Amino acid sequence: MKFPRLAKGLSGLKKFGVAELVLLVSIAILVVVVAFPILLIFWNAFTTAEGKFNLKDVVTILSQPQTYEALWNSVVIAAGVTALSTVLGVFFAWLVTRTDLPFKNLMKLLFVVPFMLPSFIGAIAWKILCSPRGGYLNVFLVNLFGLEKAPFNVYTMTGIIIVETMYLFPFVFIQVSGALERMDPTLEESALISGIDLFTITRKITFPLITPSIVAGALLVAMYSLSHFGVPSVLGQNAGIYNIPTLIYQAIHASGGSFNAIRTGTVLASLLVLSAALILYLQNLVLKKGRYQIIAGKSMRPMLLKLRGLRVPMLVLSILYIAVTVLLPTVIIFLVGALKTYGLPLKFANMTLDNLKYIFTWKMTRDSIKNSVILSVGAAVVTMLVGTMISYVIVKAKVRGKFILEFLGMLPYSVPGTVIVLGVILAWSGKFGINLYNTAGIIFVAYIARYMAFALKSTSASLEQVHDSLEEASRACGASHWQALKDIVLPLIKPGMISAFFMIFFPALRELTTSVLLYGPTTRTIGVAIYALHEDGETVYATALASIALVIIVIGEIVIRRLSKAERRNA
C-alpha cells in the first residue's frame, strides 16, 4: 500500500535542514527583540488612543515647518559626517596598513581611541573650548592675537558635523584597515610584476577590492548619524538647531511622555525609516556590481608603499590630527573637572581634588558605573554571538527567506534611539505579559535591539571575504558542517567578531540616548548621570564624572586588548 501524501510530507521534512532551522530561530529572535517593538511604534503613530486609524494628525505633524527644518538638518548632518568620516577613515586606514609610516602600529591604536570616547562628552569638551562666549580656546586665541571676536563658534551646523565626525570616523577606519590587512596581495603582486606603478595598483585594484568595507563603514556612519542624539543635543539646542532625534526628545520630554507626544515622535521617526531605506538601496547598487572575496586561505603580507620624503610630514599630520581630536578635548575634560569653579583660569592654584572626592561619595556614581559595565559587557557578548549566527545565514546559507533577516537586523538603525526606547517600553512594560519596566532588563533588551546592526555589518563584511571554496574543501575532506564552521570559518572571521564586540561594548558603555528614558531608581548609567549634571549647569561635576568614565573606558580597552592578544597567542 502506498501513501503518496505521507511520502510528500516526508520529502518536505528532508528539505527542512539545519539551515532552515537556524533561519527560523534567527527570525524569531529578531521579531521578538526588534520587529515587535518597532511595529508597536508604527501602530501608535497611525492610530488614536482608542486604536482607530488616524491620518489627519500625521499630515498635520509632517506639514509643520519645524519638521521640515529638523529633517533637513538631519540629512545635512548625516551627509556631512558620512563624507568626512569616509575620507578620513579610508585615508588613515591606508596610511597605517599600506605605507611605511613610522610608528604605524601605535598610530593605528591611537586612531581607534575616538571610538572609545563618548561623543556627548566630546561635545561638552568642545563646548567648553569653542563656545563663542568664554570658550577657553577662543579666549586664548583672542588674547594671543588681539582678535576683536572669538574665531570659533561650535554652536553651528559646521561645528556639529566636525565634532560628530571626530567620534564616528573610526567606524570606517576599523572596517577598512581590517580589510586591507586581510587582503590577498596576489593581484597586486601580479600587477607590480607587469610594470604597473603602485599608485595605479592602489587606485584600480586595492580600493575596488575593499569597496564592501568602505561602503559598510560609511553606511554605519550615515545611519548612526541620522539617529544621533548626543552631539546635536549638546551643541545644537543653544543655537536652535534641532535634528529629528532631538526634536523627538524635546516633544516627549516637554510633555512628560504623553500619548500625543509619543505619536508625534513615531511619525517623525518614520521619516528616518524612509531615509535608511534609501541608503540601503544605494548600498545594494554599489555592491552588486562585483564579487569581493579577497581572502584565499594562505599567508599574506600586504605590499607597502614607500612614502620616502613624505614619511615625516605624514607622521606629523597624523600626530596633529590625534592631538586635536583626542588629546585636546580629553585634557580639557580633566582640567575643568578639577577646577574649583567653572570659568576660572586653568591654573594650578585653581585646581582641587575635592570634586572627585565629592563625586565618589555619591551612591549614584558607584551604581551608575556598575550598571554601565555589566550592561555593556552582557549586551556586547550576546549581540555579537547572535549577530554572527544571523550573518552566517545571510551571507553563506543557501536558504530562501534570508532577506527577511537583513531587513529586520537593519531596522533599528533606521529608527532613532529615542523611538526604539518607546517601542521597548510599549512591548516590555507588562501589556503583553512581561514587565521589565524600571529594571536593568529593559535597558539590556534595548541595547541588543539597538546594536544588532553593528554586529551584522561587521561580521557580514568578514564573512563576505571568506571564499566558499575553503569551507567546501573542508566538507570534501569529510568534516561536518559544524567542524568546517568551527575550524575554518570562525577563526578567519574572528577579527570581525572582535571588532563587533568593540563596536557594541564601547557605545553601550558610554550610551546616553537609550538609557536616559529607561533608567529606574537603581539602574542609572554613567551617561545619564553625566548628561543630567550638564543639563543642570553643574559643569565641573559633570566633567569630573566624565573624567572617571574616561579612565574606566581606557582601562577596559587595555584589559580587552590584552585578553585578545593572549587568545591569539594561544590559538
Side-chain angles (χ1 to χ4, degrees):
M1 183 179 293
K2 294 183 178 180
F3 299 94
R5 290 186 177 180
L6 178 60
K8 186 177 180 181
L10 291 175
S11 175
L13 286 176
K14 287 180 181 178
K15 293 179 181 177
F16 191 85
V18 176
E20 286 75 12
L21 178 62
V22 175
L23 174 68
L24 287 181
V25 172
S26 301
I27 290 176
I29 292 172
L30 289 180
V31 165
V32 172
V33 177
V34 176
F36 184 54
I38 293 178
L39 282 176
L40 288 178
I41 290 169
F42 285 103
W43 173 260
N44 283 276
F46 292 96
T47 59
T48 63
E50 293 76 27
K52 296 180 179 177
F53 182 71
N54 182 13
L55 195 58
K56 181 181 177 182
D57 289 347
V58 175
V59 174
T60 302
I61 293 169
L62 295 180
S63 61
Q64 292 174 349
Q66 60 265 36
T67 303
Y68 292 121
E69 187 178 343
L71 178 61
W72 174 249
N73 290 339
S74 292
V75 172
V76 171
I77 292 172
V81 172
T82 303
L84 269 178
S85 297
T86 303
V87 171
L88 291 171
V90 173
F91 173 71
F92 285 122
W94 172 81
L95 198 62
V96 299
T97 57
R98 289 309 181 99
T99 71
D100 58 347
L101 182 77
F103 311 110
K104 59 182 185 180
N105 288 332
L106 174 63
M107 302 309 296
K108 182 182 177 184
L109 179 64
L110 293 176
F111 279 124
V112 183
V113 170
F115 183 72
M116 301 184 297
L117 305 178
S119 58
F120 76 94
I121 292 180
I124 293 174
W126 285 104
K127 182 178 179 179
I128 293 170
L129 282 166
C130 295
S131 167
R133 290 181 297 179
Y136 281 103
L137 183 59
N138 278 330
V139 171
F140 173 76
L141 293 175
V142 166
N143 293 335
L144 182 64
F145 297 106
L147 302 175
E148 294 183 356
K149 65 176 185 178
F152 301 117
N153 181 6
V154 77
Y155 301 140
T156 61
M157 289 287 285
T158 303
I160 293 172
I161 290 172
I162 292 175
V163 172
E164 204 166 291
T165 298
M166 293 178 186
Y167 300 93
L168 296 188
F169 102 93
F171 280 104
V172 180
F173 178 84
I174 292 172
Q175 294 280 349
V176 175
S177 60
L180 285 170
E181 288 176 341
R182 298 191 302 272
M183 198 172 73
D184 183 0
T186 306
L187 290 175
E188 294 170 310
E189 290 171 355
S190 300
L192 188 64
I193 293 172
S194 302
I196 302 174
D197 62 275
L198 278 175
F199 178 75
T200 304
I201 293 172
T202 301
R203 185 168 54 89
K204 292 193 173 181
I205 296 178
T206 307
F207 281 151
L209 284 175
I210 61 170
T211 296
S213 297
I214 296 175
V215 174
L219 179 67
L220 285 173
V221 172
M223 291 194 170
Y224 194 87
S225 182
L226 270 177
S227 61
H228 197 48
F229 171 80
V231 175
S233 175
V234 173
L235 299 181
Q237 292 190 40
N238 284 344
I241 300 173
Y242 290 91
N243 64 351
I244 292 293
T246 55
L247 189 64
I248 292 170
Y249 177 80
Q250 187 199 40
I252 295 172
H253 192 67
S255 69
S258 69
F259 177 81
N260 287 334
I262 292 174
R263 190 170 58 208
T264 300
T266 51
V267 170
L268 295 173
S270 64
L271 298 176
L272 298 182
V273 174
L274 295 176
S275 303
L278 178 62
I279 292 173
L280 285 172
Y281 175 73
L282 294 176
Q283 181 204 27
N284 290 331
L285 280 182
V286 173
L287 295 183
K288 75 179 184 181
K289 290 182 179 179
R291 295 175 61 83
Y292 300 94
Q293 293 177 333
I294 59 178
I295 295 178
K298 59 183 180 181
S299 61
M300 291 166 285
R301 189 174 58 186
M303 295 176 57
L304 296 182
L305 175 68
K306 295 187 182 301
L307 294 173
R308 304 183 190 281
L310 289 176
R311 289 188 79 203
V312 174
M314 287 295 106
L315 179 63
V316 171
L317 175 66
S318 301
I319 293 173
L320 279 177
Y321 181 83
I322 292 167
V324 171
T325 59
V326 178
L327 193 60
L328 183 59
T330 304
V331 168
I332 199 67
I333 286 292
F334 279 91
L335 290 178
V336 173
L339 276 179
K340 293 176 181 175
T341 303
Y342 180 60
L344 290 175
L346 298 174
K347 297 178 180 178
F348 185 75
N350 296 329
M351 303 292 175
T352 177
L353 292 177
D354 290 344
N355 299 333
L356 290 176
K357 293 179 183 175
Y358 186 64
I359 287 290
F360 269 117
T361 59
W362 290 353
K363 186 175 183 299
M364 176 199 75
T365 304
R366 298 194 297 270
D367 288 346
S368 66
I369 293 172
K370 183 181 71 176
N371 292 334
S372 289
V373 171
I374 293 174
L375 286 169
S376 56
V377 170
V381 170
V382 172
T383 311
M384 177 196 68
L385 294 176
V386 174
T388 301
M389 177 184 72
I390 295 172
S391 296
Y392 185 82
V393 177
I394 293 173
V395 177
K396 296 296 182 183
K398 295 177 176 60
V399 58
R400 291 180 179 178
K402 60 184 181 181
F403 70 92
I404 299 174
L405 289 179
E406 188 170 14
F407 173 73
L408 293 176
M410 294 306 294
L411 263 183
Y413 244 136
S414 61
V415 181
T418 305
V419 180
I420 287 182
V421 171
L422 299 178
V424 169
I425 291 173
L426 292 170
W428 303 99
S429 294
K431 187 176 181 181
F432 300 97
I434 299 177
N435 189 358
L436 299 177
Y437 195 67
N438 270 346
T439 69
I442 198 167
I443 301 177
F444 184 74
V445 172
Y447 282 179
I448 292 175
R450 191 173 179 202
Y451 296 118
M452 182 60 73
F454 284 66
L456 290 181
K457 296 308 296 182
S458 181
T459 53
S460 292
S462 297
L463 281 164
E464 284 171 353
Q465 294 177 341
V466 178
H467 202 286
D468 295 341
S469 62
L470 298 176
E471 196 174 353
E472 291 167 0
S474 175
R475 297 290 301 277
C477 293
S480 64
H481 197 130
W482 167 244
Q483 285 176 319
L485 185 66
K486 179 171 65 72
D487 297 334
I488 304 295
V489 178
L490 289 180
L492 286 174
I493 66 168
K494 188 180 288 184
M497 294 176 68
I498 294 174
S499 293
F501 179 87
F502 286 133
M503 294 172 74
I504 299 164
F505 171 73
F506 287 114
L509 187 65
R510 67 197 183 203
E511 205 282 329
L512 171 65
T513 307
T514 304
S515 49
V516 77
L517 287 178
L518 288 178
Y519 74 93
T522 60
T523 58
R524 193 188 297 260
T525 62
I526 296 177
V528 171
I530 296 172
Y531 187 76
L533 289 170
H534 172 261
E535 287 294 291
D536 292 341
E538 299 285 358
T539 305
V540 170
Y541 292 135
T543 50
L545 183 53
S547 306
I548 297 170
L550 292 177
V551 171
I552 293 172
I553 290 170
V554 171
I555 292 174
E557 166 72 11
I558 293 172
V559 170
I560 289 172
R561 284 189 177 275
R562 289 192 173 182
L563 290 175
S564 300
K565 285 182 180 179
E567 185 182 347
R568 282 197 293 269
R569 283 196 298 268
N570 295 331

